[in-house]
Amino acid sequence: MQPPLDLAARCGPVELLLVDVDGVLTDGVIAVDDRGVETKHFHVRDGSGFDLWHKAGKRAAILSGRWAPAVSRRAAELGIAPVIQGASQKGEPFRRLLAELGLNAAQVCYVGDDLPDLPVLRAVGLAACPADAAIEVREAAHVVTQTRGGRGAIREIVEVILKHQGVWDGLVARYQVPA
């Protein structure tokens, strides 16, 4: 892990949560049945994390090296857009996304888990990864979660950022009221 420049300073400007899919939103398993239908497992806590992220007025996007219909469906359920799939080389699609959204790299938290994610992780203001990411990715990250990919790592990263931005307590307060 890189020495903390000051995690609060890195989290402060973040407006876009950009995530990889396999190994980040999923556990990395690609299950294919006898008919060739691919399935993926998404964790409900990550969905909760995106919900909190959006309630904080933030944007989320996906940048994945593979393409799968399940990703488009899950992204639509969670209000994540844009969704970029099939980008084996992620640098150029990342730069196009910044231009399209009118953001600079310091405003982005990218969450990746493997070697193809390194160019984007090294470019963004806040680089994050799940606990079971490749060693090179963990070394490049500013935040390494306690949680493995596909097991709520996104929810954990959202909490870290929003706490540093000072909005976490206000978002959580609505859940503190007795029924």
Side-chain angles (χ1 to χ4, degrees):
M1 186 155 74
Q2 294 180 353
L5 165 74
D6 175 22
L7 192 53
R10 289 190 178 281
C11 289
V14 173
E15 291 296 322
L16 175 68
L17 180 60
L18 179 62
V19 300
D20 181 33
V21 175
D22 296 315
V24 173
L25 285 181
T26 74
D27 59 9
V29 172
I30 299 169
V32 180
D33 70 16
D34 291 341
R35 292 167 299 195
V37 177
E38 180 178 318
T39 61
K40 296 182 180 293
H41 299 140
F42 299 96
H43 202 287
V44 69
R45 251 181 276 147
D46 288 329
S48 172
F50 282 112
D51 183 55
L52 289 163
W53 186 253
H54 292 304
K55 283 178 178 162
K58 309 290 184 174
R59 295 186 271 187
I62 288 175
L63 177 56
S64 178
R66 297 188 70 250
W67 186 89
V71 173
S72 298
R73 180 180 177 138
R74 184 64 174 152
E77 290 173 354
L78 297 175
I80 300 170
V83 176
I84 302 165
Q85 296 192 72
S88 59
Q89 301 294 317
K90 297 183 178 185
E92 183 56 34
F94 170 66
R95 289 186 291 277
R96 281 195 313 267
L97 180 65
L98 288 179
E100 176 185 318
L101 298 178
L103 296 172
N104 64 58
Q107 294 174 286
V108 179
C109 171
Y110 181 65
V111 188
D113 72 305
D114 209 351
L115 301 178
D117 298 308
L118 284 171
V120 179
L121 287 166
R122 290 194 172 119
V124 296
L126 182 65
C129 70
D132 57 341
I135 184 98
E136 295 86 354
V137 171
R138 292 192 314 262
E139 289 171 351
H142 306 111
V143 176
V144 178
T145 65
Q146 298 293 310
T147 312
R148 298 170 57 91
R151 297 290 182 247
I154 294 299
R155 163 63 175 74
E156 188 177 332
I157 292 163
V158 165
E159 183 174 346
V160 167
I161 297 168
L162 295 180
K163 279 184 174 179
H164 279 91
Q165 291 181 344
V167 298
W168 179 257
D169 290 341
L171 291 169
V172 173
R174 69 184 72 180
Y175 299 103
Q176 305 286 347
V177 179

